[in-house]
mmCIF file of all heavy atoms in Angstrom:
data_model
loop_
_atom_site.group_PDB
_atom_site.id
_atom_site.type_symbol
_atom_site.label_atom_id
_atom_site.label_comp_id
_atom_site.label_asym_id
_atom_site.label_seq_id
_atom_site.Cartn_x
_atom_site.Cartn_y
_atom_site.Cartn_z
ATOM 1 N N TYR A 867 39.903 20.121 -117.276
ATOM 2 C CA TYR A 867 40.480 18.798 -117.077
ATOM 3 C C TYR A 867 40.148 17.934 -118.279
ATOM 4 O O TYR A 867 39.033 17.986 -118.803
ATOM 5 C CB TYR A 867 39.953 18.127 -115.796
ATOM 6 C CG TYR A 867 40.692 16.847 -115.500
ATOM 7 C CD1 TYR A 867 41.929 16.880 -114.860
ATOM 8 C CD2 TYR A 867 40.185 15.623 -115.890
ATOM 9 C CE1 TYR A 867 42.626 15.714 -114.612
ATOM 10 C CE2 TYR A 867 40.883 14.450 -115.646
ATOM 11 C CZ TYR A 867 42.107 14.496 -115.004
ATOM 12 O OH TYR A 867 42.804 13.341 -114.765
ATOM 13 N N CYS A 868 41.119 17.138 -118.699
ATOM 14 C CA CYS A 868 40.921 16.290 -119.871
ATOM 15 C C CYS A 868 41.796 15.054 -119.729
ATOM 16 O O CYS A 868 42.998 15.166 -119.465
ATOM 17 C CB CYS A 868 41.306 17.079 -121.126
ATOM 18 S SG CYS A 868 41.098 16.184 -122.656
ATOM 19 N N ASP A 869 41.199 13.860 -119.864
ATOM 20 C CA ASP A 869 41.977 12.628 -119.926
ATOM 21 C C ASP A 869 41.301 11.669 -120.899
ATOM 22 O O ASP A 869 40.462 12.081 -121.696
ATOM 23 C CB ASP A 869 42.204 12.022 -118.542
ATOM 24 C CG ASP A 869 40.952 11.454 -117.881
ATOM 25 O OD1 ASP A 869 39.923 11.302 -118.560
ATOM 26 O OD2 ASP A 869 41.003 11.159 -116.675
ATOM 27 N N ASP A 870 41.644 10.402 -120.838
ATOM 28 C CA ASP A 870 41.109 9.429 -121.793
ATOM 29 C C ASP A 870 39.651 9.079 -121.550
ATOM 30 O O ASP A 870 39.018 8.458 -122.409
ATOM 31 C CB ASP A 870 41.944 8.150 -121.770
ATOM 32 C CG ASP A 870 43.346 8.363 -122.308
ATOM 33 O OD1 ASP A 870 43.536 9.327 -123.081
ATOM 34 O OD2 ASP A 870 44.242 7.570 -121.970
ATOM 35 N N ASP A 871 39.109 9.444 -120.389
ATOM 36 C CA ASP A 871 37.747 9.051 -120.040
ATOM 37 C C ASP A 871 36.758 10.200 -119.903
ATOM 38 O O ASP A 871 35.558 9.990 -120.014
ATOM 39 C CB ASP A 871 37.739 8.245 -118.744
ATOM 40 C CG ASP A 871 38.463 6.927 -118.896
ATOM 41 O OD1 ASP A 871 38.275 6.260 -119.936
ATOM 42 O OD2 ASP A 871 39.228 6.572 -117.980
ATOM 43 N N PHE A 872 37.233 11.408 -119.609
ATOM 44 C CA PHE A 872 36.295 12.522 -119.502
ATOM 45 C C PHE A 872 36.968 13.862 -119.744
ATOM 46 O O PHE A 872 38.190 13.990 -119.689
ATOM 47 C CB PHE A 872 35.516 12.500 -118.186
ATOM 48 C CG PHE A 872 36.300 12.833 -116.952
ATOM 49 C CD1 PHE A 872 36.376 14.135 -116.487
ATOM 50 C CD2 PHE A 872 36.947 11.839 -116.236
ATOM 51 C CE1 PHE A 872 37.071 14.446 -115.345
ATOM 52 C CE2 PHE A 872 37.655 12.138 -115.088
ATOM 53 C CZ PHE A 872 37.715 13.448 -114.635
ATOM 54 N N VAL A 873 36.122 14.852 -120.016
ATOM 55 C CA VAL A 873 36.549 16.226 -120.242
ATOM 56 C C VAL A 873 35.594 17.120 -119.459
ATOM 57 O O VAL A 873 34.381 16.896 -119.462
ATOM 58 C CB VAL A 873 36.461 16.610 -121.744
ATOM 59 C CG1 VAL A 873 36.870 18.052 -121.961
ATOM 60 C CG2 VAL A 873 37.277 15.673 -122.598
ATOM 61 N N GLU A 874 36.146 18.130 -118.807
ATOM 62 C CA GLU A 874 35.292 19.104 -118.151
ATOM 63 C C GLU A 874 35.856 20.490 -118.376
ATOM 64 O O GLU A 874 37.039 20.662 -118.664
ATOM 65 C CB GLU A 874 35.105 18.801 -116.668
ATOM 66 C CG GLU A 874 36.349 18.887 -115.844
ATOM 67 C CD GLU A 874 36.107 18.511 -114.390
ATOM 68 O OE1 GLU A 874 35.027 17.998 -114.044
ATOM 69 O OE2 GLU A 874 37.009 18.737 -113.584
ATOM 70 N N GLY A 875 34.982 21.479 -118.260
ATOM 71 C CA GLY A 875 35.411 22.852 -118.467
ATOM 72 C C GLY A 875 34.232 23.799 -118.431
ATOM 73 O O GLY A 875 33.159 23.466 -117.927
ATOM 74 N N TRP A 876 34.449 24.974 -118.982
ATOM 75 C CA TRP A 876 33.403 26.001 -119.014
ATOM 76 C C TRP A 876 33.549 26.819 -120.282
ATOM 77 O O TRP A 876 34.600 26.835 -120.911
ATOM 78 C CB TRP A 876 33.479 26.907 -117.791
ATOM 79 C CG TRP A 876 34.745 27.718 -117.742
ATOM 80 C CD1 TRP A 876 35.936 27.341 -117.199
ATOM 81 C CD2 TRP A 876 34.940 29.012 -118.295
ATOM 82 N NE1 TRP A 876 36.870 28.331 -117.381
ATOM 83 C CE2 TRP A 876 36.293 29.376 -118.056
ATOM 84 C CE3 TRP A 876 34.133 29.911 -118.985
ATOM 85 C CZ2 TRP A 876 36.832 30.588 -118.463
ATOM 86 C CZ3 TRP A 876 34.681 31.120 -119.388
ATOM 87 C CH2 TRP A 876 36.010 31.445 -119.124
ATOM 88 N N PHE A 877 32.468 27.472 -120.659
ATOM 89 C CA PHE A 877 32.493 28.398 -121.783
ATOM 90 C C PHE A 877 31.363 29.403 -121.613
ATOM 91 O O PHE A 877 30.406 29.161 -120.877
ATOM 92 C CB PHE A 877 32.377 27.669 -123.134
ATOM 93 C CG PHE A 877 31.089 26.930 -123.329
ATOM 94 C CD1 PHE A 877 30.004 27.542 -123.939
ATOM 95 C CD2 PHE A 877 30.944 25.625 -122.892
ATOM 96 C CE1 PHE A 877 28.812 26.871 -124.114
ATOM 97 C CE2 PHE A 877 29.758 24.936 -123.063
ATOM 98 C CZ PHE A 877 28.688 25.558 -123.680
ATOM 99 N N GLU A 878 31.514 30.517 -122.301
ATOM 100 C CA GLU A 878 30.472 31.537 -122.291
ATOM 101 C C GLU A 878 29.707 31.494 -123.602
ATOM 102 O O GLU A 878 30.266 31.154 -124.644
ATOM 103 C CB GLU A 878 31.089 32.925 -122.113
ATOM 104 C CG GLU A 878 31.711 33.120 -120.754
ATOM 105 C CD GLU A 878 32.364 34.480 -120.601
ATOM 106 O OE1 GLU A 878 32.629 35.153 -121.629
ATOM 107 O OE2 GLU A 878 32.604 34.872 -119.451
ATOM 108 N N SER A 879 28.424 31.802 -123.532
ATOM 109 C CA SER A 879 27.585 31.908 -124.723
ATOM 110 C C SER A 879 26.640 33.095 -124.518
ATOM 111 O O SER A 879 26.569 33.653 -123.435
ATOM 112 C CB SER A 879 26.806 30.618 -124.968
ATOM 113 O OG SER A 879 25.969 30.312 -123.868
ATOM 114 N N ARG A 880 25.913 33.442 -125.551
ATOM 115 C CA ARG A 880 24.945 34.537 -125.436
ATOM 116 C C ARG A 880 23.599 33.987 -124.983
ATOM 117 O O ARG A 880 23.118 33.000 -125.528
ATOM 118 C CB ARG A 880 24.784 35.245 -126.771
ATOM 119 C CG ARG A 880 26.022 35.978 -127.171
ATOM 120 C CD ARG A 880 25.810 36.702 -128.460
ATOM 121 N NE ARG A 880 27.039 37.386 -128.834
ATOM 122 C CZ ARG A 880 27.090 38.423 -129.611
ATOM 123 N NH1 ARG A 880 25.995 38.907 -130.143
ATOM 124 N NH2 ARG A 880 28.231 38.980 -129.894
ATOM 125 N N TRP A 881 23.010 34.632 -124.010
ATOM 126 C CA TRP A 881 21.645 34.410 -123.545
ATOM 127 C C TRP A 881 21.409 33.086 -122.839
ATOM 128 O O TRP A 881 20.857 33.056 -121.763
ATOM 129 C CB TRP A 881 20.626 34.546 -124.682
ATOM 130 C CG TRP A 881 20.735 35.820 -125.430
ATOM 131 C CD1 TRP A 881 21.223 35.960 -126.697
ATOM 132 C CD2 TRP A 881 20.395 37.132 -124.999
ATOM 133 N NE1 TRP A 881 21.201 37.276 -127.078
ATOM 134 C CE2 TRP A 881 20.692 38.027 -126.045
ATOM 135 C CE3 TRP A 881 19.871 37.649 -123.828
ATOM 136 C CZ2 TRP A 881 20.482 39.390 -125.960
ATOM 137 C CZ3 TRP A 881 19.656 39.005 -123.740
ATOM 138 C CH2 TRP A 881 19.954 39.850 -124.795
ATOM 139 N N SER A 882 21.742 31.952 -123.469
ATOM 140 C CA SER A 882 21.384 30.638 -122.916
ATOM 141 C C SER A 882 22.338 29.567 -123.443
ATOM 142 O O SER A 882 23.253 29.863 -124.206
ATOM 143 C CB SER A 882 19.944 30.293 -123.303
ATOM 144 O OG SER A 882 19.819 30.219 -124.711
ATOM 145 N N PHE A 883 22.097 28.331 -123.049
ATOM 146 C CA PHE A 883 22.887 27.199 -123.538
ATOM 147 C C PHE A 883 22.719 27.096 -125.052
ATOM 148 O O PHE A 883 21.591 27.114 -125.552
ATOM 149 C CB PHE A 883 22.398 25.905 -122.869
ATOM 150 C CG PHE A 883 23.052 24.663 -123.400
ATOM 151 C CD1 PHE A 883 24.367 24.371 -123.086
ATOM 152 C CD2 PHE A 883 22.338 23.790 -124.210
ATOM 153 C CE1 PHE A 883 24.964 23.219 -123.575
ATOM 154 C CE2 PHE A 883 22.933 22.640 -124.698
ATOM 155 C CZ PHE A 883 24.244 22.355 -124.376
ATOM 156 N N PRO A 884 23.801 26.970 -125.815
ATOM 157 C CA PRO A 884 23.710 26.901 -127.282
ATOM 158 C C PRO A 884 23.302 25.514 -127.754
ATOM 159 O O PRO A 884 24.103 24.740 -128.290
ATOM 160 C CB PRO A 884 25.133 27.271 -127.727
ATOM 161 C CG PRO A 884 26.000 26.821 -126.604
ATOM 162 C CD PRO A 884 25.191 27.017 -125.354
ATOM 163 N N ASP A 885 22.029 25.186 -127.577
ATOM 164 C CA ASP A 885 21.560 23.831 -127.843
ATOM 165 C C ASP A 885 21.733 23.388 -129.295
ATOM 166 O O ASP A 885 22.064 22.235 -129.547
ATOM 167 C CB ASP A 885 20.124 23.636 -127.377
ATOM 168 C CG ASP A 885 19.153 24.628 -127.967
ATOM 169 O OD1 ASP A 885 19.585 25.621 -128.565
ATOM 170 O OD2 ASP A 885 17.946 24.402 -127.822
ATOM 171 N N GLU A 886 21.531 24.268 -130.251
ATOM 172 C CA GLU A 886 21.664 23.861 -131.658
ATOM 173 C C GLU A 886 23.073 23.380 -131.962
ATOM 174 O O GLU A 886 23.250 22.358 -132.644
ATOM 175 C CB GLU A 886 21.283 25.008 -132.588
ATOM 176 C CG GLU A 886 19.806 25.321 -132.588
ATOM 177 C CD GLU A 886 19.454 26.466 -133.529
ATOM 178 O OE1 GLU A 886 20.326 26.908 -134.307
ATOM 179 O OE2 GLU A 886 18.303 26.922 -133.466
ATOM 180 N N GLU A 887 24.083 24.087 -131.485
ATOM 181 C CA GLU A 887 25.468 23.697 -131.725
ATOM 182 C C GLU A 887 25.786 22.352 -131.087
ATOM 183 O O GLU A 887 26.448 21.507 -131.680
ATOM 184 C CB GLU A 887 26.437 24.767 -131.204
ATOM 185 C CG GLU A 887 26.446 26.033 -132.020
ATOM 186 C CD GLU A 887 25.415 27.057 -131.558
ATOM 187 O OE1 GLU A 887 24.465 26.690 -130.831
ATOM 188 O OE2 GLU A 887 25.550 28.226 -131.932
ATOM 189 N N PHE A 888 25.308 22.138 -129.858
ATOM 190 C CA PHE A 888 25.611 20.886 -129.173
ATOM 191 C C PHE A 888 24.787 19.718 -129.702
ATOM 192 O O PHE A 888 25.265 18.586 -129.733
ATOM 193 C CB PHE A 888 25.476 21.056 -127.658
ATOM 194 C CG PHE A 888 26.713 21.654 -127.063
ATOM 195 C CD1 PHE A 888 26.881 23.024 -127.039
ATOM 196 C CD2 PHE A 888 27.728 20.856 -126.573
ATOM 197 C CE1 PHE A 888 28.036 23.595 -126.527
ATOM 198 C CE2 PHE A 888 28.889 21.413 -126.061
ATOM 199 C CZ PHE A 888 29.042 22.784 -126.042
ATOM 200 N N GLU A 889 23.557 19.969 -130.136
ATOM 201 C CA GLU A 889 22.771 18.890 -130.738
ATOM 202 C C GLU A 889 23.351 18.471 -132.081
ATOM 203 O O GLU A 889 23.198 17.329 -132.494
ATOM 204 C CB GLU A 889 21.310 19.309 -130.858
ATOM 205 C CG GLU A 889 20.611 19.320 -129.508
ATOM 206 C CD GLU A 889 19.192 19.861 -129.567
ATOM 207 O OE1 GLU A 889 18.684 20.143 -130.669
ATOM 208 O OE2 GLU A 889 18.597 20.011 -128.490
ATOM 209 N N ALA A 890 24.035 19.371 -132.780
ATOM 210 C CA ALA A 890 24.733 19.005 -134.013
ATOM 211 C C ALA A 890 25.997 18.207 -133.708
ATOM 212 O O ALA A 890 26.388 17.326 -134.476
ATOM 213 C CB ALA A 890 25.082 20.262 -134.816
ATOM 214 N N MET A 891 26.630 18.497 -132.589
ATOM 215 C CA MET A 891 27.858 17.812 -132.186
ATOM 216 C C MET A 891 27.559 16.442 -131.575
ATOM 217 O O MET A 891 28.242 15.459 -131.862
ATOM 218 C CB MET A 891 28.602 18.679 -131.162
ATOM 219 C CG MET A 891 29.940 18.163 -130.743
ATOM 220 S SD MET A 891 30.733 19.128 -129.403
ATOM 221 C CE MET A 891 30.429 20.818 -129.849
#
Side-chain angles (χ1 to χ4, degrees):
Y867 188 82
C868 181
D869 69 12
D870 293 337
D871 295 318
F872 71 92
V873 178
E874 64 183 10
W876 65 273
F877 63 92
E878 293 178 343
S879 60
R880 293 182 181 204
W881 307 108
S882 61
F883 174 73
D885 56 348
E886 290 180 9
E887 289 89 342
F888 277 85
E889 287 174 6
M891 185 186 318

